[in-house]
Amino acid sequence: ETGVTQTPRHLVMGMTNKKSLKCEQHLGHNAMYWYKQSAKKPLELMFVYSLEERVENNSVPSRFSPECPNSSHLFLHLHTLQPEDSALYLCASSQDDTAGPEKLFFGSGTQLSVL
Amino acid sequence: AQKITQTQPGMFVQEKEAVTLDCTYDTSDQSYGLFWYKQPSSGEMIFLIYQGSYDEQNATEGRYSLNFQKARKSANLVISASQLGDSAMYFCAMRDDILTGGGNKLTFGTGTQLKVEL
């Protein structure tokens, strides 16, 4: 069982659909993240949850709605997306410790295509 | 302003040779951390190596080493004895603003695609 698991691996949706991406971490971490990876662009941080509270919303459109019901699970709810939202969505987790930066552990991502 | 710059979109190296992947960064913080990640075609980002701004010695992890030049704000990744399995995208990332909590927010570069050839 990998440390960070994302489902589904691939998702194709229409612009009017509603879908959700799921992330689960088995590492006992207390912080979780959503990143967006588009072709030829740096990874973009979307949301950060630390101790189950959202601490960062990086100017993400409201058609993306995160949910963190507990420290092990993170969701990204999608509705009325645009074709430019097609990308690889990566989930990550870490142990949030202000004594110093901790590495992020990533899942394999969900490849999203919006038609 | 871009915080992490990777100027090499693609690199080729022959098997068993060493390769250096460039990374420069920009921050006004005194305390920061630099990371390198590898992303194979499967998509998962794999942590390779970490360098703290106050670390006096260059970080090493097996065949990976980080050539940290603080005054030049560069943190190049050196891979020794390249293997076919090293073919992947490589990302440099930074965490600054370390003394505030709220998650380890990494800023990534655009990546370098490394191809190892026979």
Side-chain angles (χ1 to χ4, degrees):
Chain A
E1 189 175 66
T2 58
V4 181
T5 305
Q6 288 187 245
T7 55
R9 288 298 310 276
H10 302 273
L11 179 62
V12 180
M13 58 187 289
M15 293 168 61
T16 58
N17 291 157
K18 288 185 180 181
K19 297 285 184 184
S20 296
L21 309 185
K22 179 183 176 182
C23 177
E24 184 175 0
Q25 60 98 359
H26 310 276
L27 300 167
H29 290 158
N30 61 9
M32 296 187 77
Y33 312 76
W34 281 115
Y35 277 88
K36 175 184 179 182
Q37 186 178 23
S38 306
K40 302 198 189 303
K41 292 176 68 175
L43 272 74
E44 302 170 57
L45 179 63
M46 300 176 71
F47 300 104
V48 179
Y49 278 83
S50 180
L51 300 172
E52 299 163 40
E53 288 193 16
R54 190 192 308 180
V55 296
E56 182 91 6
N57 176 353
N58 219 15
S59 303
V60 179
S62 59
R63 56 185 183 269
F64 295 91
S65 175
E67 179 190 1
C68 187
N70 55 61
S71 61
S72 299
H73 293 86
L74 184 65
F75 295 89
L76 188 62
H77 304 298
L78 316 171
H79 63 98
T80 58
L81 293 192
Q82 305 297 312
E84 59 265 29
D85 297 323
S86 298
L88 180 68
Y89 288 84
L90 289 162
C91 173
S93 72
S94 74
Q95 188 62 25
D96 185 12
D97 182 351
T98 54
E102 292 289 330
K103 62 189 179 188
L104 302 187
F105 291 78
F106 284 84
S108 297
T110 294
Q111 185 65 56
L112 174 66
S113 297
V114 181
L115 304 179
Chain B
Q2 191 170 355
K3 284 191 169 184
I4 297 286
T5 303
Q6 294 181 256
T7 58
Q8 307 153 313
M11 290 281 286
F12 289 88
V13 66
Q14 291 219 307
E15 195 181 20
K16 300 179 186 177
E17 291 190 350
V19 63
T20 298
L21 306 183
D22 295 340
C23 173
T24 57
Y25 60 91
D26 184 30
T27 182
S28 57
D29 287 337
Q30 297 301 309
S31 298
Y32 52 89
L34 296 154
F35 301 78
W36 276 92
Y37 280 83
K38 170 185 177 181
Q39 187 179 40
S41 57
S42 60
E44 182 181 354
M45 299 280 280
I46 301 167
F47 168 78
L48 296 178
I49 196 166
Y50 166 77
Q51 178 86 42
S53 59
Y54 288 116
D55 293 341
E56 293 186 353
Q57 301 216 335
N58 286 342
T60 61
E61 290 280 354
R63 294 187 299 111
Y64 304 107
S65 61
L66 203 152
N67 184 359
F68 181 47
Q69 297 188 43
K70 195 169 181 177
R72 297 177 63 181
K73 293 189 175 178
S74 74
N76 299 338
L77 176 70
V78 180
I79 306 175
S80 63
S82 297
Q83 302 171 357
L84 295 177
D86 293 335
S87 295
M89 279 288 285
Y90 288 80
F91 292 93
C92 181
M94 178 175 68
R95 163 77 200 280
D96 57 7
D97 198 20
I98 282 177
L99 298 180
T100 60
N104 290 287
K105 290 164 277 194
L106 297 190
T107 301
F108 285 81
T110 50
T112 296
Q113 180 71 52
L114 177 67
K115 175 76 172 171
V116 180
E117 301 173 316
L118 290 170

